[in-house]
Amino acid sequence: MPVDVLLTCTECHKPFAASRFGNNVRCAHCRTQRNKLEQLRQLLSHWYYPRRWRADLVEPSVYFLLEKLWTANGQGESLFAGIGPPNVNYDIFRNLVTRVIAKGVEDGWMDLTFPGDPLAENPVYKLKFKDPDRFAREIEALFPNVNWDEQIQVPLPLAEEKPARRRKVAKSR
Ligand SMILES: [Zn+2]
């Protein structure tokens, strides 16, 4: 069952009901196509609002969610170890790569799939490296001091993550 969520258009500033999210979501008033990261930002905020008193949750931000997605299952550490950028620690690395991935979602070479019901307790977002070559080029540009003779290993398995558990939960899958 699709659910209606009120999104606010950042173009004409009017609210409109949306029942699907991601590509080709248009404002019902001014018909402009709505940005995916902006949709995500608003959905996460709607998701968090009724849960804001819960001690086990942190308010998920767009970057927080994207970072959880691409670093899931040790993929973040593997990529960091594989590239070994000089003078960059894992925190900075994660941060920079998350920003590249956000840009990729915006530009369409990363694929972010939205859950059917983003307000459910555990909505599952999925991130896919739709264009691994493009991702590799972006990462190369990010760390020009690295010797890029060796092909970098792009984390290909699709990542899924739920918004905002603060504590680490053992993965069952
Ligand atoms: Zn509008």
Side-chain angles (χ1 to χ4, degrees):
M1 265 287 272
V3 283
D4 274 355
V5 181
L6 272 191
L7 298 179
T8 302
C9 176
T10 48
E11 195 67 33
C12 69
H13 307 289
K14 289 185 190 153
F16 65 98
S19 57
R20 38 173 297 279
F21 313 95
N23 294 321
N24 305 314
V25 173
R26 286 174 187 281
C27 167
H29 308 288
C30 70
R31 308 301 303 159
T32 53
Q33 190 160 319
R34 304 317 312 143
N35 174 297
K36 278 172 113 173
L37 293 183
E38 178 57 27
Q39 292 175 49
L40 178 61
R41 192 189 66 74
Q42 294 191 25
L43 289 174
L44 291 175
S45 147
H46 281 302
W47 178 87
Y48 185 68
Y49 187 74
R51 299 173 173 89
R52 64 198 179 282
W53 308 116
R54 281 174 47 176
D56 61 328
L57 299 176
V58 275
E59 179 160 16
S61 70
V62 165
Y63 286 132
F64 177 88
L65 183 92
L66 291 177
E67 180 175 302
K68 286 193 77 174
L69 288 171
W70 81 265
T71 59
N73 306 316
Q75 293 177 145
E77 281 99 343
S78 323
L79 190 66
F80 180 62
I83 294 173
N87 309 318
V88 176
N89 67 27
Y90 182 53
D91 282 345
I92 293 171
F93 177 81
R94 232 171 34 211
N95 222 286
L96 292 169
V97 174
T98 300
R99 264 140 229 276
V100 164
I101 286 176
K103 184 171 153 258
V105 170
E106 203 102 290
D107 298 349
W109 50 267
M110 289 293 301
D111 204 19
L112 177 69
T113 310
F114 287 68
D117 178 1
L119 304 186
E121 179 64 20
N122 289 315
V124 175
Y125 291 86
K126 291 179 187 172
L127 189 65
K128 262 193 242 160
F129 291 79
K130 203 163 97 185
D131 185 347
D133 291 340
R134 174 68 189 271
F135 176 72
R137 283 204 303 278
E138 295 281 341
I139 297 301
E140 284 184 25
L142 209 51
F143 305 108
N145 297 334
V146 168
N147 176 3
W148 290 107
D149 285 349
E150 276 178 56
Q151 187 73 31
I152 66 165
Q153 199 61 37
V154 172
L156 271 178
L158 54 97
E160 340 189 317
E161 195 52 66
K162 291 157 186 153
R165 299 274 168 224
R166 174 180 279 158
R167 294 181 193 117
K168 271 203 163 164
V169 184
K171 286 254 177 214
S172 53
R173 275 167 299 160

